[in-house]
Amino acid sequence: MGEAKRRKKNDPDFGKPKGASVLERKLDLLQKQMELRLEEIRASYQHKGNMGSNVEEVIREFLREFLPPHNRIGQGEVVDFDGNSSTQLDLVITNEYHPYLNDLTKPSVFFIEGIACVGEVKSVLNSNDFDSILRNCLTYKQLKVNLQDGMRTFINPSDLKRFVEKRPYFLFAFESQLSLSTLLEKTKRFNTDNNLDFWQQIDGIFILNRGQVINFGDGQGTFQFADHKGNTIPGLISIDIEEDPKVLFGFLSWLNSAMPRIEIQFPILMSYLMKGQIPINAGR
């Protein structure tokens, strides 16, 4: 009996809820499969555009498996009530209120109020790619969400500005030519140079062969990072792959915390079709 107990305590899943350990093992396996899939795509396609399209579809398939059915997965541009638009986005995740206007097999146009989250996908991230992504993120974060009167949210108050009044933006890459520390420093410098508040910044960076950089905002949100004394730490935190190799698990954990539940009274298209006639938040 004593030996059995010792073996159980040496198990890395000892003390975890069974469902959590099963999910971690599944995601570990999927992460390995993604890495192999990248090698297969490289061997099959010489044209960079074909390679990129296939890599993006790998992530879309993953998200379709792990997100609820109302989180439809597409690609394209996001527009707001004032006619502003994002750049072309590799991943667009809708919420339950987005109308079924879009053919998700090709790039489409989406309305910001119907967006849960967006992201960019790279097979191999380079410095120019990353600079463009930070600029594209800022363009996206400048879109205005039409907040209806009577709207209800189920979210930590700290995350309201970042994930409801704005919508989250992430980068997912299989490999990076840049180290995680370089990605962190470039992000900090971009945020400082442009005097960006937390809600204007990129929210998450996930690199399968490097690790994660997660923006924890003011440190009081739903998703928190604590030091060894239990104190929460705000801002950008890098988690190297050698410190925690479970990048896919971290990505899914962050994604679920960054897409809060909301309730609205009117279909979002009404505000576009009948400008000025649908009650919206006066503080918009």
Side-chain angles (χ1 to χ4, degrees):
M1 176 67 75
E3 181 62 25
K5 284 184 178 179
R6 280 195 294 273
R7 285 200 301 270
K8 188 175 183 181
K9 289 183 179 180
N10 288 332
D11 186 335
D13 291 329
F14 177 69
K16 295 180 182 177
K18 187 175 181 180
S21 62
V22 169
L23 179 59
E24 282 193 54
R25 288 196 293 271
K26 181 177 177 65
L27 289 170
D28 285 347
L29 178 60
L30 283 173
Q31 185 167 322
K32 292 181 177 69
Q33 290 175 345
M34 281 186 182
E35 292 164 352
L36 291 173
R37 181 70 178 129
L38 176 62
E39 293 304 313
E40 180 185 346
I41 290 169
R42 280 176 171 160
S44 301
Y45 299 97
Q46 299 298 319
H47 189 275
K48 187 175 180 181
N50 291 333
M51 184 183 298
S53 298
N54 279 270
V55 165
E56 292 164 18
E57 190 56 32
V58 170
I59 304 304
R60 293 190 195 104
E61 289 174 2
F62 167 76
L63 293 174
R64 291 185 190 110
E65 180 177 357
F66 283 93
L67 294 180
H70 65 256
N71 289 131
R72 301 169 71 222
I73 315 298
Q75 57 181 307
E77 296 179 33
V78 179
V79 300
D80 71 8
F81 186 76
D82 292 331
N84 304 306
S85 65
S86 71
T87 57
Q88 185 81 3
L89 298 160
D90 297 329
L91 287 172
V92 177
I93 305 173
T94 68
N95 61 31
E96 61 190 292
Y97 298 106
H98 201 285
Y100 279 63
L101 300 175
N102 311 74
D103 178 0
L104 300 183
T105 63
K106 58 186 178 183
S108 305
V109 176
F110 299 84
F111 303 99
I112 185 65
E113 293 80 11
I115 300 305
C117 189
V118 303
E120 297 283 6
V121 179
K122 295 294 178 184
S123 54
V124 181
L125 181 70
N126 62 40
S127 184
N128 289 335
D129 289 336
F130 191 62
D131 292 341
S132 294
I133 285 168
L134 292 176
R135 292 193 298 269
N136 293 345
C137 175
L138 182 55
T139 298
Y140 168 76
K141 291 285 188 171
Q142 290 170 342
L143 298 180
K144 298 176 182 178
V145 179
N146 183 358
L147 300 176
Q148 298 180 9
D149 283 343
M151 176 180 179
R152 297 177 63 198
T153 63
F154 301 82
I155 191 173
N156 182 305
S158 174
D159 291 334
L160 183 66
K161 186 73 174 177
R162 299 174 64 202
F163 301 147
V164 176
E165 294 181 18
K166 299 295 179 182
R167 302 297 157 90
Y169 181 110
F170 68 87
L171 163 66
F172 188 100
F174 285 73
E175 297 177 354
S176 174
Q177 295 176 358
L178 308 174
S179 68
L180 201 66
S181 61
T182 298
L183 293 172
L184 176 64
E185 289 308 312
K186 284 174 75 72
T187 305
K188 286 182 175 179
R189 186 164 60 249
F190 181 84
N191 293 343
T192 299
D193 290 347
N194 291 278
N195 195 29
L196 303 184
D197 207 335
F198 288 126
W199 52 270
Q200 298 172 297
Q201 301 172 13
I202 193 168
D203 297 293
I205 301 167
F206 304 90
I207 315 292
L208 284 187
N209 76 329
R210 297 292 189 187
Q212 313 164 52
V213 177
I214 298 176
N215 193 331
F216 289 93
D218 62 6
Q220 301 305 309
T222 301
F223 202 47
Q224 298 183 358
F225 186 89
D227 62 19
H228 66 283
K229 295 181 179 179
N231 300 314
T232 58
I233 303 175
L236 293 161
I237 301 293
S238 65
I239 306 168
D240 191 87
I241 194 168
E242 296 197 2
E243 180 183 352
D244 184 356
K246 300 179 186 295
V247 176
L248 208 55
F249 185 86
F251 171 53
L252 193 62
S253 300
W254 170 82
L255 192 61
N256 278 272
S257 71
M259 299 193 302
R261 181 185 168 203
I262 62 174
E263 289 183 358
I264 61 175
Q265 298 182 40
F266 305 101
I268 65 172
L269 271 187
M270 290 181 68
S271 61
Y272 290 83
L273 297 172
M274 305 168 64
K275 281 193 175 184
Q277 300 181 49
I278 301 300
I280 61 174
N281 189 315
R284 175 177 166 272

